[in-house]
Amino acid sequence: MTRIRRARYYAWPLLLVGLSAVSPTAPAAGHSHADQLAIPDSSDFRGEMLLFPAVTVIDRYDQGPKKKPANSEVIPEMNFFYTADYQQFRFLGEWLVSTKTHNLERIQFGLHLGESSLWLGRFHNPIGYWNMQYHHGAFLQNTASRPGIMAFETQGGVIPNHLTGLFWEGVHQFDEAGLYYSVGAGAGPYLKRGLSAFNVIEPGGSHRPGATFRLGYQPVSFGVNEVGISGAYTEIPSDLNDVREVKQFVAGAYANWQQDSVHLLSEVVYANSRLEHDAGLRNGGSFFNAYAQAEWAFADDWTLIGRIEGTRGGQNDPYLALFPRYVRDRLLGGLRYRVNSNMALKVEASQDHIRDDRYGQVMFQWSAVFP
């Protein structure tokens, strides 16, 4: 646990590891911007490597004749997370390897500027709450799945989850409260068979700029409870034969609340996409997506989870039609068992609705963090 707590200096998502290990009433739910933005007292170089292995087993039933996605899958993965710190300088790198993908998910060079930090590199888009709270290490979240609207690009996501450029964030304190702010701008994804984020190792495809922001209010500065808004504008070039470019605007609002053993999280997202075609034709559409998740840590090592997701207005959206595996609606129930401070088991069952089908899904997941 000593190493895990030291990692809080480098990236606030890792605070979840410490929370889930030491407190049954904080089931991987909170975060602390102070831990990310604080400058260590020592001027010595510090480096830390954390490994996040996971194995996910998925079984689907009652699918239509097309059977997309597959009836069953077994997905092992390893997430390598490295941070380094020297005085006010920071480095963060995250590399995910699985049977589905292998990507340098984040590579960031940072500089502390008083109450804020400035980063250069590939970073997570701060749109919404989930995308910044829960990252590629499966151990960090209580559920085995992410909400459909927050799915990563490689998992069929419909909004950009990664940008490559400049990212500025900070927390301004007043009285006991805090105002968290973040602004990012950089190269967004391009569209082929789904979104493809800028790859810093193999930067193929064309990429155009995107800009994003998030503003959150915390009644207790650096605390868990938070409400906020976010927005993003991205120009997405396309390799598809009939689409030249997509111009997308996304706006959202979120609320995160925790009291004792109960944690509630909800987000509402609005997306408007304008498609430009080679022949000069244009069309587009918009939709709303909302989800609400409730977690109850009813015993020291057990957490019960429920989540409902829904999309409205997307039936005839030409942009959503390009993403046949996007989960438009979902009803989910799950259970997480903390084996020890470094390991967890999860099971969840859901009814999912994608563009052409509805089906049931059961997921089992083993996840851990080392050392």
Side-chain angles (χ1 to χ4, degrees):
M1 283 304 299
T2 301
R3 289 186 176 183
I4 294 177
R5 291 192 181 103
R6 285 206 308 266
R8 298 178 190 175
Y9 285 123
Y10 310 123
W12 55 262
L14 295 181
L15 176 61
L16 304 178
V17 178
L19 287 173
S20 59
V22 301
S23 174
T25 62
H31 72 269
S32 171
H33 299 294
D35 290 313
Q36 180 186 10
L37 299 173
I39 302 175
D41 295 333
S42 173
S43 62
D44 295 337
F45 174 84
R46 289 185 176 185
E48 190 77 32
M49 168 71 81
L50 294 176
L51 305 179
F52 292 89
V55 178
T56 305
V57 179
I58 306 173
D59 183 66
R60 301 182 180 95
Y61 55 93
D62 291 340
Q63 289 200 90
K66 294 183 179 180
K67 289 184 171 58
K68 292 184 179 182
N71 277 342
S72 61
E73 296 180 87
V74 178
I75 307 172
E77 65 180 49
M78 176 66 76
N79 190 54
F80 301 86
F81 189 97
Y82 179 76
T83 59
D85 189 290
Y86 178 69
Q87 295 181 356
Q88 74 270 35
F89 299 100
R90 299 290 172 86
F91 171 79
L92 185 154
E94 186 177 19
W95 181 38
L96 177 66
V97 180
S98 77
T99 53
K100 291 291 185 179
T101 185
H102 57 90
N103 279 311
L104 187 59
E105 300 292 350
R106 287 187 289 170
I107 179 168
Q108 299 175 212
F109 301 89
L111 180 67
H112 271 283
L113 304 171
E115 69 176 23
S116 65
S117 292
L118 181 65
W119 297 89
L120 172 66
R122 173 167 157 151
F123 54 90
H124 281 161
N125 189 344
I127 186 72
Y129 184 84
W130 191 289
N131 197 38
M132 290 296 289
Q133 179 71 6
Y134 303 115
H135 295 273
H136 299 272
F139 183 80
L140 300 178
Q141 63 186 45
N142 278 339
T143 56
S145 65
R146 294 168 65 92
I149 191 65
M150 293 297 165
F152 290 119
E153 294 96 340
T154 54
Q155 298 172 351
V158 299
I159 61 176
N161 288 98
H162 298 85
L163 295 176
T164 303
L166 289 174
F167 180 54
W168 178 54
E169 63 176 343
V171 176
H172 179 70
Q173 292 181 265
F174 50 96
D175 296 329
E176 295 184 354
L179 187 67
Y180 169 69
Y181 53 90
S182 62
V183 179
Y190 71 98
L191 183 63
K192 46 178 185 178
R193 288 178 297 180
L195 296 177
S196 181
F198 183 86
N199 189 329
V200 296
I201 298 178
E202 300 175 357
S206 58
H207 299 269
R208 293 181 185 172
T212 182
F213 82 94
R214 175 176 152 191
L215 189 64
Y217 171 76
Q218 302 166 340
V220 177
S221 185
F222 310 121
V224 172
N225 297 337
E226 182 176 329
V227 295
I229 59 173
S230 61
Y233 172 79
T234 313
E235 296 181 356
I236 308 172
S238 171
D239 282 351
L240 300 178
N241 291 332
D242 58 341
V243 179
R244 185 177 75 249
E245 182 183 37
V246 177
K247 294 182 178 180
Q248 184 183 75
F249 170 75
V250 179
Y254 64 86
N256 182 70
W257 179 84
Q258 183 172 321
Q259 180 67 42
D260 298 327
S261 62
V262 177
H263 171 221
L264 302 176
L265 169 62
S266 181
E267 294 194 67
V268 178
V269 176
Y270 167 79
N272 178 275
S273 303
R274 306 298 299 176
L275 283 65
E276 298 185 1
H277 302 267
D278 291 332
L281 301 176
R282 298 180 181 179
N283 65 342
S286 59
F287 65 91
F288 283 91
N289 178 277
Y291 73 84
Q293 179 165 309
E295 303 177 1
W296 175 36
F298 62 92
D300 286 350
D301 300 317
W302 296 88
T303 302
L304 188 65
I305 305 130
R307 187 169 74 225
I308 184 170
E309 309 173 33
T311 301
R312 296 296 176 266
Q315 293 84 352
N316 300 314
D317 191 313
Y319 178 75
L320 280 188
L322 302 175
F323 298 84
R325 295 185 61 176
Y326 164 63
V327 178
R328 299 173 179 232
D329 305 286
R330 174 185 281 148
L331 182 63
L332 177 149
L335 188 66
R336 181 182 190 263
Y337 171 64
R338 187 187 64 192
V339 180
N340 53 40
S341 61
N342 296 81
M343 195 178 304
L345 297 174
K346 310 171 193 175
V347 59
E348 63 184 47
S350 64
Q351 286 288 330
D352 295 10
H353 172 211
I354 58 177
R355 187 184 68 185
D356 298 322
D357 198 7
R358 293 180 182 270
Y359 55 86
Q361 178 173 276
V362 178
M363 299 181 70
F364 302 90
Q365 186 182 82
W366 169 87
S367 61
V369 57
F370 300 107

